[in-house]
Amino acid sequence: MSLAPPLRLGVNIDHVATIRNARGGKHPDPVRAALIAIEAGADGITAHLREDRRHIRDDDMARLKSDISRPLNFEMAATPEMSRIALMTRPNAVCLVPERRQEVTTEGGLDVVGQHNELAPFISRLNDAGIRVSLFIAADPRQIEWAAKLRAPVIEIHTGGWCDAIADGNAAKAETEWKRIVHGAALAKSAGLEVHAGHGLDYATAETIASLPQIVELNIGHYLVGEAIETGLADATRRMRAAMDRGRAKAASAA
Ligand code: PXP
């Protein structure tokens, strides 16, 4: 029996920046969150610099690159602006994603079949700069075929449809989506691509998808940040309670 390769965890810290930006200050800091995640076992950090800078900002990306000890995966749309920033930042990897201003999150995969002419120069420029390119696509055979033709070394399979179907209790759709992921991962691996997956994963779906030996990296963000809030709020509340009690006690002893 051959052993499956290790499965890396890329922690996406975008939504730490979402919370920071709600107030416009410096707290919470996505770079500090990245350092905490690495300390706890993350194999890499993922951040998406969107055109509208709704969460991660240019200086976050620069600080991540200089401060973290693990690979940085720079998610971005294939635009001249982002290409320029990525070539300046020199992350270990770039994940090309579709981006629409109105969307709440990255809703679908890249259309590599329909946009191969536009994507080709971005991929070769990044390849030439020694940055590992990953294409975020649906587990669709034609998309996978074109990703290989375009010489992207990596694909990331969009798991959002599968995760949503499970969350909605739609067992039939979840089964169909799961089969697509299983077949897509096998096809991509046999086409010589490195296979990653991500979007919408939680503890249960991460555990399930970890059974696929072709997948070597999962990128997970929203659920982890939500869990960090829910599991970390008790400790933060205790520390706040203690700070207030100390303040009162000091004032009482000074009176
Ligand atoms: N991978 C890619 C390419 C993404 O665009 C995202 C969302 O930014 C993720 C993974 C992480 O998805 P989630 O935040 O739902 O875990």
Side-chain angles (χ1 to χ4, degrees):
M1 197 183 73
S2 67
L3 276 185
L7 180 57
R8 299 192 298 267
L9 168 61
V11 172
N12 178 318
I13 40 78
D14 291 350
H15 296 302
V16 177
T18 303
I19 298 173
R20 175 198 60 193
N21 296 358
R23 280 289 173 92
K26 291 187 172 170
H27 185 269
D29 179 12
V31 179
R32 182 170 169 228
L35 295 172
I36 292 168
I38 289 169
E39 177 74 25
D43 299 292
I45 296 297
T46 295
H48 183 175
L49 188 65
R50 280 183 168 267
E51 185 197 8
D52 63 8
R53 309 302 199 266
R54 69 174 71 161
H55 38 55
I56 294 297
R57 296 177 180 149
D58 301 51
D59 69 308
D60 295 326
M61 210 48 111
R63 286 192 306 127
L64 283 166
K65 172 65 183 155
S66 77
D67 292 4
I68 65 172
S69 57
R70 294 278 175 166
L72 173 63
N73 179 28
F74 185 142
E75 258 185 51
M76 58 179 236
T79 64
E81 183 202 17
M82 288 301 152
S83 185
R84 185 182 51 72
I85 297 172
L87 290 169
M88 204 172 62
T89 309
R90 305 237 153 219
N92 304 75
V94 157
C95 181
L96 293 177
V97 300
E99 204 175 290
R100 286 190 300 114
R101 268 199 176 228
Q102 310 85 325
E103 69 189 355
V104 175
T105 180
T106 313
E107 283 162 3
L110 268 181
D111 179 11
V112 184
V113 180
Q115 296 182 320
H116 61 90
N117 282 333
E118 291 87 341
L119 289 170
F122 285 96
I123 297 169
S124 28
R125 225 171 292 133
L126 292 162
N127 278 343
D128 291 349
I131 298 170
R132 224 164 147 65
V133 181
S134 157
L135 302 180
F136 188 45
I137 57 174
D140 174 272
R142 292 203 62 219
Q143 299 291 348
I144 293 166
E145 207 179 291
W146 268 98
K149 274 191 199 160
L150 287 180
R151 305 171 66 82
V154 184
I155 61 156
E156 180 167 329
I157 293 179
H158 196 311
T159 52
W162 173 57
C163 294
D164 287 348
I166 293 175
D168 295 345
N170 188 340
K173 180 154 190 245
E175 183 60 20
T176 307
E177 292 289 333
W178 173 245
K179 283 189 178 141
R180 269 174 14 120
I181 293 171
V182 172
H183 293 139
L187 178 68
K189 169 83 180 160
S190 68
L193 293 158
E194 181 173 309
V195 190
H196 302 175
H199 210 280
L201 294 169
D202 60 12
Y203 297 135
T205 45
E207 189 169 333
T208 302
I209 205 166
S211 67
L212 302 182
Q214 300 89 356
I215 296 181
V216 297
E217 181 172 307
L218 298 179
N219 285 301
I220 309 179
H222 187 268
Y223 183 77
L224 273 177
V225 173
E227 276 293 285
I229 292 170
E230 290 191 0
T231 62
L233 191 57
D235 186 47
T237 303
R238 274 190 287 272
R239 292 174 70 169
M240 185 58 75
R241 178 77 265 159
M244 290 160 56
D245 291 347
R246 274 195 312 274
R248 269 285 202 264
K250 266 190 227 153
S253 65

